Amino acid sequence: MDGLVKELDLKISQKFSDTFRVISNQFQNYFSLLFGGGKASLNLAEDETGELGIEINAQPPGKKIQSLTLLSGGERTLTSLALIFAILSVNPSPFCVLDEADAALDESNTLRFVKILKNLEQKTQFIVIT
């Protein structure tokens, strides 16, 4: 029984690592699409109690890398959308409700947002409340 638990733990850990890596790559892609450039990354981070978490770093074009809390409202919105789109591209949901997700976006960002929705609509039905 102990060997079975260890084998299962190993498989779960491997599946998590593989999926996290793919989502992280997709996050970078969607971030660049939404911002028209820049860099972003997802990193696993352990706090002082040993709890594992995810750290989001973003570098919009022309800015230095910073944490999500230091970005403007529009930049946080775009970064959050990039993460949602990355997760949906790897593990599609039948539907997704986005409430006021475009509120902080200007016209050019809204057009990029809609373009990505059109690409993802093949596997996910979106309900967008504006």
Side-chain angles (χ1 to χ4, degrees), residues 1-126:
M1 186 70 148
D2 202 32
L4 182 61
V5 171
K6 286 182 182 179
E7 182 181 339
L8 187 57
D9 282 345
L10 181 64
K11 285 184 180 186
I12 290 170
S13 177
Q14 185 63 44
K15 179 71 173 169
F16 175 82
S17 295
D18 292 346
T19 304
F20 184 81
R21 186 174 50 257
V22 174
I23 289 173
S24 183
N25 288 337
Q26 289 296 327
F27 175 60
Q28 168 60 49
N29 292 338
Y30 282 109
F31 184 89
S32 292
L33 282 172
L34 286 167
F35 278 91
K39 297 178 186 176
S41 65
L42 298 175
N43 302 302
L44 294 176
E46 194 172 319
D47 68 10
E48 58 277 349
T49 65
E51 288 289 318
L52 199 58
I54 297 174
E55 182 179 85
I56 300 172
N57 293 308
Q59 183 180 7
K63 294 190 174 186
K64 63 179 184 165
I65 290 181
Q66 48 194 347
S67 73
L68 191 59
T69 57
L70 298 175
L71 298 174
S72 71
E75 291 169 337
R76 276 196 302 263
T77 298
L78 288 173
T79 303
S80 300
L81 287 171
L83 181 57
I84 290 169
F85 293 152
I87 293 168
L88 287 173
S89 71
V90 174
N91 188 12
S93 173
F95 70 92
C96 177
V97 177
L98 297 171
D99 184 12
E100 298 290 335
D102 62 332
L105 305 180
D106 62 15
E107 186 177 345
S108 62
N109 288 330
T110 300
L111 293 174
R112 288 192 284 257
F113 168 72
V114 170
K115 183 178 179 182
I116 291 171
L117 287 178
K118 287 185 184 286
N119 288 336
L120 291 174
E121 75 180 0
Q122 303 301 319
K123 295 183 180 178
T124 300
Q125 181 177 7
F126 289 93

